[in-house]
Structures are given as structure tokens and as C-alpha cells.
Amino acid sequence: MSDSNEHAAALAVAGLHHAWFTGLVLALVAHRGAAVAEEFVFRLFRHQHTQRFLPGLVKLGLDRLPHAVAAARYHYFSNQLGGVAVEYLEVDARKAWVRYPPPRWIWSGTAICAIPSEVNRAMLRGWHAHNGVTLGNPRLGFVCTGTTVDGNPGLEGYYREYDHALEPAERLRFVADERCPPIDRTSMPQLEQRSWPALRQAKAYRNYAMEYVRNALPLLLELLGSEDARELGCRAGRLVGMQCYADIAGQLGVRGDDPAAFAGLFADLLEAAGDSVVRDGNTVNRSAPRLFADSALTPALRDLSLAPYAGLLAAHNRFLVLEEHPPSRFSITPAR
């Protein structure tokens, strides 16, 4: 692909995986209840925190900063690379604000209207409340001063290092009588553009969105069990694929509704996701998949991982099916 095509394809993959994750949470809220969705979000964000926070501090060059500043800057830079609108305000070495203005990335579009407060707060409990623990600093906590799902103009709060060790319940506090001060956006730290050109940022956004799905699908199986997770997850994935098709087809210049056109789209998406792909007519051969290794795919996880692509195909041409010939060959054929 040319750089411009590769950029568009990376953004298409990011958008699909982003919608896929949000769709899973909405499906849990609607069909399994807020308590199940809350547990899912908490466990997902705690897992991502333990896997990514400390290595990310080093990668972003933040590991030697005061802990409150390092934690806030981590969220500012990492979310910015993930395509999330975010603002930052440093008060001093022991207090730094981070603010996510509308639109909220994670609950994009009208999805935010269906997210209960406790599900949104589970994200903060899973990650923001644990930064001090991971850094070995029992005095570091996060104070949330507003959330978008509750009708405020953004999710905002600050990291603060106190003079005393915090009890577990004090690591995350919600207050209603504080607001983030005005932020001069020209004063916020900037990415070094030579190190982060547009294509690299698009791939970082892709990786950011894919990471949510990579961790979410196994967790869904663990939380609901194989049969229930497959039923709910495949339905959500298929719906997401159908809803996203028009945008993705437009981004990647798909013409026509024949098997060859979809085979090209499917191959482009897999390649943009980081897989090694060889296309032969209406057949796509994949090796070294990035989302899940073939050896890690149980039958349920395999079905879940393909559901959005089946949805894309249903919107492309409802008389075609995506057939898999395990472990790595796919064909687009007329429905029997």
C-alpha cells in the first residue's frame, strides 16, 4: 500500500475495533445488566493497567517525573496517541489535572446515552485508582471532579500526592464541588512530531483500539462462559460490522458488491491490522495474525474474532458468506 492508503486502512481498522469494544459493553449493559458490564469494564482496565502502565511510562520518557505528574502525563500522551481528545494541566509536582472533553472516545456517538455511571466509574477504579499502587507510592490518588456520562462537559480529575498513605477506598474519590480550571491548549506538552509522523500515529491508534478487543474477548469468555459469551459477543460483533461497513467501504474505496470486492476489503483490513496476507481471487490466506495467534484460538474465540467481518460481509452482500478453512484460509462464496 501507499502511505496514504496504509494510513486510511489503519484508521479503518482502529475504527472497527473501537466500535467493537464499545458494542460489547453496550451489549452487556442491555442484555446482562449493569453489574455484569461494570465487572467486565473494571477487570479489563485493571488488566490493561498492569500490562501497559509501567512500560508505557518508560516508552514515553515519563518514568523519572514526580508521580502525580507522570501519571497525568501518561494518560495525556497515551490517549492522544490512541486518538482520544485529552487535555493536561500541571499545578505543581504533586498535583496534575487530566481532562477528556466531549466527544468521549470510549463511548462514542450516542452510545454514551446508554452507559450507566457505575460502568463508567469502573474504568477509573480499574486504572486511575491503581497508579499509586503500581508506582509503589501509597500517597498517590485520583480525584474525579466530573464525568461526561453524568451530564458534565467532560471527564476530568487530578492526580494528587498526599502527605499520608491512602486507604484503598481513598485512592479514587468523586467530588462535586471542584472543576478543572481553564486550560490554555497552547501550553500543553506536545508530541515530538519527527518521532510521531501521521502514519505512526495512525498505527498507534490502531494498536490502541485492537488492544481493547484482544483483552476483552477472552475476558468475556471468562466472565460469561463459552456458550453465553459466544451468543452475546457474536451478535454484537456482527451488528458492529454491519453498522461500520459503509464508513469502512468509503474509506478504502470499495466498488461493487461482488465476492472479489469483499475479498480485497477483507485482505486490506487484515493486512492493516498487522497480519501477513496473500490474496488469491476470492480467497484470502493469512499468517502470523496480530490480534490472536491461531494456536490461541479456541472455537468460541475464533467465532468471536470473526463476527465483525461476517457483519461487514452481510452489509456488503447479504447473499455471500465468509467461509473459514482453519487455521488460516478464508473464502468468500455464495450462500448455500
Side-chain angles (χ1 to χ4, degrees):
M1 295 186 190
S2 67
D3 280 358
S4 61
N5 290 341
E6 191 175 1
H7 183 268
L11 293 179
V13 169
L16 178 64
H17 285 78
H18 172 199
W20 192 355
F21 167 68
T22 303
L24 286 173
V25 177
L26 289 172
L28 286 170
V29 171
H31 302 293
R32 298 299 180 271
V36 175
E38 179 183 2
E39 179 67 11
F40 175 78
V41 170
F42 169 75
R43 288 167 63 175
L44 176 64
F45 275 83
R46 180 58 55 85
H47 176 79
Q48 304 231 135
H49 171 88
T50 58
Q51 295 293 309
R52 295 298 179 189
F53 181 51
L54 289 181
L57 285 177
V58 175
K59 185 174 182 179
L60 291 168
L62 307 174
D63 52 311
R64 298 183 183 276
L65 294 175
H67 287 163
V69 172
R73 287 200 185 195
Y74 174 87
H75 288 285
Y76 172 68
F77 282 121
S78 64
N79 282 281
Q80 190 178 100
L81 288 172
V84 180
V86 60
E87 299 173 348
Y88 170 87
L89 177 65
E90 184 176 328
V91 177
D92 54 41
R94 301 179 67 184
K95 182 178 179 179
W97 288 84
V98 62
R99 182 174 183 274
Y100 305 87
R104 290 291 291 118
W105 180 88
I106 194 168
W107 316 129
S108 62
T110 56
I112 197 168
C113 299
I115 299 297
S117 294
E118 59 268 35
V119 173
N120 186 70
R121 290 185 176 201
M123 172 181 62
L124 301 176
R125 288 195 297 114
W127 193 307
H128 295 62
H130 209 64
N131 281 3
V133 175
T134 301
L135 289 167
N137 184 347
R139 302 184 308 279
L140 183 66
F142 186 76
V143 179
C144 180
T145 60
T147 61
T148 321
V149 299
D150 292 325
N152 295 296
L155 170 63
E156 64 176 43
Y158 56 86
Y159 282 98
R160 180 172 176 188
E161 185 172 347
Y162 294 84
D163 295 325
H164 61 277
L166 302 177
E167 296 295 328
E170 297 176 309
R171 294 170 186 159
L172 173 64
R173 294 195 301 117
F174 293 90
V175 301
D177 58 351
E178 291 186 70
R179 285 290 176 265
C180 181
I183 296 176
D184 178 2
R185 296 187 180 185
T186 64
S187 71
M188 296 190 299
Q190 300 297 315
L191 290 170
E192 209 290 309
Q193 291 300 317
R194 287 176 297 178
S195 299
W196 292 96
L199 180 56
R200 187 182 180 192
Q201 289 191 47
K203 289 182 176 181
Y205 176 26
R206 172 204 67 186
N207 295 343
Y208 183 89
M210 289 179 66
E211 185 75 6
Y212 279 102
V213 173
R214 182 181 296 111
N215 292 321
L217 294 185
L219 176 58
L220 189 73
L221 289 165
E222 181 183 328
L223 196 63
L224 299 184
S226 178
E227 185 174 339
D228 196 15
R230 182 184 287 182
E231 187 277 326
L232 180 139
C234 286
R235 181 176 183 273
R238 184 177 175 88
L239 288 172
V240 164
M242 289 191 290
Q243 289 291 92
C244 289
Y245 174 78
D247 287 342
I248 290 175
Q251 285 176 281
L252 300 187
V254 175
R255 298 289 183 270
D257 64 355
D258 57 297
F262 188 81
L265 171 64
F266 186 48
D268 285 346
L269 289 174
L270 293 181
E271 184 177 0
D275 299 356
S276 296
V277 175
V278 176
R279 179 188 165 201
D280 181 12
N282 299 338
T283 298
V284 176
N285 294 283
R286 178 185 71 182
S287 60
R290 186 184 184 97
L291 189 63
F292 297 107
D294 283 324
S295 60
L297 287 174
T298 63
L301 188 55
R302 187 180 295 277
D303 288 347
L304 287 169
S305 67
L306 289 175
Y309 298 104
L312 289 171
L313 180 55
H316 175 82
N317 185 329
R318 60 194 173 94
F319 298 107
L320 300 176
V321 294
L322 178 65
E323 291 191 343
E324 183 187 15
H325 312 279
S328 57
R329 187 164 65 89
F330 303 89
S331 57
I332 292 84
T333 61
R336 294 183 179 86

